[in-house]
Amino acid sequence: MSIATNDLFSLGCKERDRINKELGGGIPPGSIVLVEGDYGAGKSAISQRFAYGLCEEDHSVTMLSTELTVGSFLDQMHSLNYGMVEHLLDENLLFLHADIGDGNTFSGQEKQGDRKELLKRLMEAEVMWDSEVVIIDTFDAILRNDPKFEALVRQNEERQAALEIISFFRDIISQGKVIMLTVDPSTLDEEAIGPFRAIADVFLELEMIEVGNDVRRQISVLRFAGMGEQVGDTIGYSVRSGTGIVIESRSVA
């Protein structure tokens, strides 16, 4: 069933690209968005485009990155022509660097080998969940480096390991918020990633396809609950320096 587009979290930038239109006018509130793709598929670029567009539409966004510091994040956004400095200063955007490092911690200040439960710390970081939209890039790095999750995986209890964080996510989205997770599926067992696929209201798969000597990128929309207008089932795109995300082709479901 479609819902009114004015009830959606618009992804903005309507004059720059067609992403918001291709995705039916935005993301429904109260959604978990899962973006899957192998290394280099464009997960970070897509999440950065979402963050920028949402901020441009005056939505509050928290972005947690396991790879970028605030400096490298701003450099990356600048290279895509997504100006985020004002949004940071205006507190539309809260950017956090999850420094899991060699010690597998968020802060990097704990003693070597003192591995903290990253998922627990994630859930206890109350300020990051105040925003309307929370983006975690990449979520699989946190799962892989959480000792409790890792121990349960070794015992073939992947689903049990996912239950606590999934329950927490459901509590958050029950407030009308959106959680977006990027995941590299090649780094996790099927049993570990399966529960997150099952709960995702919006499930996007990023693929790189070789066509002759070219490599083309596409977004496959595998699930889109509560869509607004028609949503494209396959969306071709490229990432261009100085321009950002560019939609290359359109296929309507």
Side-chain angles (χ1 to χ4, degrees), residues 23-144:
L23 294 178
I27 305 298
S31 297
I32 293 176
V33 181
L34 181 65
V35 180
E36 277 193 21
D38 292 336
Y39 179 80
K43 298 184 297 299
S44 291
I46 290 292
S47 65
Q48 290 159 8
R49 162 61 182 86
F50 277 32
Y52 174 70
L54 287 160
C55 286
E56 288 285 289
E57 294 293 310
D58 294 324
H59 295 299
S60 58
V61 178
T62 293
M63 186 158 195
L64 176 70
S65 174
T66 62
E67 298 177 349
L68 301 177
T69 63
V70 65
S72 56
F73 169 73
L74 289 175
D75 288 343
Q76 175 75 12
M77 298 299 275
H78 178 72
S79 73
L80 298 173
N81 197 23
Y82 296 148
M84 294 298 281
V85 174
E86 287 190 9
H87 290 305
L88 276 169
L89 294 175
D90 293 340
E91 299 184 350
N92 286 343
L93 175 73
L94 171 63
F95 180 84
L96 300 170
H97 171 51
D99 182 11
I100 54 181
D102 293 335
N104 301 305
T105 69
F106 280 124
S107 67
Q109 296 175 350
E110 284 76 9
K111 295 179 181 179
Q112 181 86 9
D114 183 16
R115 299 181 62 190
K116 298 295 184 181
E117 294 181 10
L118 298 183
L119 290 172
K120 180 180 179 182
R121 296 183 67 177
L122 185 73
M123 291 184 282
E124 291 177 348
E126 296 180 8
V127 174
M128 71 171 285
W129 302 105
D130 288 340
S131 299
E132 294 174 282
V133 181
V134 178
I135 300 172
I136 303 177
D137 178 43
T138 55
F139 185 58
D140 60 275
I142 294 175
L143 292 180
R144 288 183 285 108

Side-chain angles (χ1 to χ4, degrees), residues 3-252:
I3 62 176
T5 54
N6 59 5
D7 293 331
L8 304 171
F9 286 167
S10 172
L11 298 171
C13 302
K14 297 174 184 177
E15 304 302 318
R16 287 188 55 172
D17 58 47
R18 301 199 309 270
I19 288 181
N20 194 65
K21 183 177 181 181
E22 291 282 359
L23 294 178
I27 305 298
S31 297
I32 293 176
V33 181
L34 181 65
V35 180
E36 277 193 21
D38 292 336
Y39 179 80
K43 298 184 297 299
S44 291
I46 290 292
S47 65
Q48 290 159 8
R49 162 61 182 86
F50 277 32
Y52 174 70
L54 287 160
C55 286
E56 288 285 289
E57 294 293 310
D58 294 324
H59 295 299
S60 58
V61 178
T62 293
M63 186 158 195
L64 176 70
S65 174
T66 62
E67 298 177 349
L68 301 177
T69 63
V70 65
S72 56
F73 169 73
L74 289 175
D75 288 343
Q76 175 75 12
M77 298 299 275
H78 178 72
S79 73
L80 298 173
N81 197 23
Y82 296 148
M84 294 298 281
V85 174
E86 287 190 9
H87 290 305
L88 276 169
L89 294 175
D90 293 340
E91 299 184 350
N92 286 343
L93 175 73
L94 171 63
F95 180 84
L96 300 170
H97 171 51
D99 182 11
I100 54 181
D102 293 335
N104 301 305
T105 69
F106 280 124
S107 67
Q109 296 175 350
E110 284 76 9
K111 295 179 181 179
Q112 181 86 9
D114 183 16
R115 299 181 62 190
K116 298 295 184 181
E117 294 181 10
L118 298 183
L119 290 172
K120 180 180 179 182
R121 296 183 67 177
L122 185 73
M123 291 184 282
E124 291 177 348
E126 296 180 8
V127 174
M128 71 171 285
W129 302 105
D130 288 340
S131 299
E132 294 174 282
V133 181
V134 178
I135 300 172
I136 303 177
D137 178 43
T138 55
F139 185 58
D140 60 275
I142 294 175
L143 292 180
R144 288 183 285 108
N145 287 286
D146 182 279
K148 182 177 178 181
F149 190 90
E150 181 185 61
L152 286 170
V153 167
R154 287 201 303 267
Q155 299 167 23
N156 295 318
E157 295 289 345
E158 291 92 341
R159 291 185 180 276
Q160 177 62 35
L163 284 180
E164 184 177 3
I165 187 67
I166 285 175
S167 176
F168 176 79
F169 285 163
R170 289 192 186 279
D171 287 342
I172 295 295
I173 66 170
S174 70
Q175 304 169 37
K177 300 183 179 186
V178 169
I179 297 173
M180 177 178 174
L181 311 171
T182 72
V183 174
D184 181 345
S186 68
T187 67
L188 297 172
D189 290 339
E190 189 74 21
E191 288 295 315
I193 197 172
F196 298 99
R197 287 172 173 164
I199 64 160
D201 303 285
V202 178
F203 185 5
L204 308 178
E205 183 180 43
L206 308 186
E207 299 177 286
M208 295 182 292
I209 301 172
E210 292 186 14
V211 180
N213 294 324
D214 294 332
V215 176
R216 298 182 182 177
R217 301 173 187 268
Q218 70 177 31
I219 304 170
S220 295
V221 182
L222 304 184
R223 186 182 310 130
F224 206 112
M227 69 176 67
E229 300 171 357
Q230 196 85 354
V231 174
D233 60 347
T234 302
I235 305 165
Y237 75 100
S238 61
V239 182
R240 301 183 187 177
S241 179
T243 303
I245 301 293
V246 176
I247 299 300
E248 301 286 3
S249 60
R250 186 167 188 259
S251 176
V252 178

